[in-house]
Amino acid sequence: MSKYGIQKTVELSYSEAVTKVKNELKEEGFGVLAEIDMQKTFKEKLDKEMNNYLILEACNPAFAFEGIGEESELGLLLPCNVIVYENDNEETEVAAIDPVKALGMSEDKRVNEIAKEIKSRLTRVIENI
């Protein structure tokens, strides 16, 4: 159980999980704006080793447009991060931010409705991996 979002240990290799997550995000209307390879970054910047760890910055353009239209500063809380990583037991984990928690700072009713819809979509992404 993640305190930040929706998480699951999967029966896939790391690379299989990355591919599956990207496909499931696409199915739910999300695009991946950026991929951050933390293993590579830490090795290059700090000369430190770590397990595979990828951050996918996912965005559903329609919801982002509507949300920013409601509240201009909402962009500070976007995009929705989804992670795929290998834990210390060499298991593959996938997780997505809980947008209800992340956008919970907003007092705008429509923003909160959008967050609930995004959460249901991200939950399906994680469940389908």
Side-chain angles (χ1 to χ4, degrees):
M1 180 80 177
S2 171
K3 61 182 169 182
Y4 303 117
I6 309 130
Q7 186 170 1
K8 180 179 177 183
T9 303
V10 298
E11 301 278 330
L12 299 171
S13 71
Y14 171 79
S15 62
E16 291 170 331
V18 169
T19 300
K20 181 79 171 155
V21 167
K22 288 179 185 178
N23 290 337
E24 291 297 328
L25 285 167
K26 186 175 181 181
E27 286 292 316
E28 290 292 338
F30 292 88
V32 175
L33 302 174
E35 296 182 27
I36 304 166
D37 182 336
M38 298 305 289
Q39 181 187 50
K40 179 181 172 186
T41 299
F42 290 145
K43 180 65 178 169
E44 289 175 359
K45 303 291 182 187
L46 303 173
D47 196 29
K48 300 285 185 185
E49 300 290 334
M50 74 171 295
N51 295 340
N52 285 316
Y53 195 111
L54 183 68
I55 301 172
L56 300 170
E57 293 185 344
C59 178
N60 182 301
F63 288 127
F65 181 80
E66 186 177 353
I68 290 172
E70 288 289 322
E71 212 171 287
S72 296
E73 291 184 1
L74 194 66
L76 291 169
L77 303 173
L78 300 178
C80 295
N81 283 341
V82 178
I83 57 175
V84 181
Y85 66 95
E86 291 175 328
N87 65 26
D88 291 336
N89 296 324
E90 297 181 9
E91 299 167 315
T92 305
E93 301 275 347
V94 295
I97 186 73
D98 180 340
V100 172
K101 288 181 181 178
L103 301 178
M105 291 183 269
S106 174
E107 295 177 6
D108 186 291
K109 181 179 178 185
R110 183 62 191 134
V111 168
N112 290 317
E113 290 170 1
I114 292 168
K116 288 177 187 172
E117 176 59 28
I118 294 169
K119 181 177 182 174
S120 72
R121 290 173 183 239
L122 290 175
T123 298
R124 283 193 298 270
V125 166
I126 300 302
E127 287 174 351
N128 288 333
I129 305 301

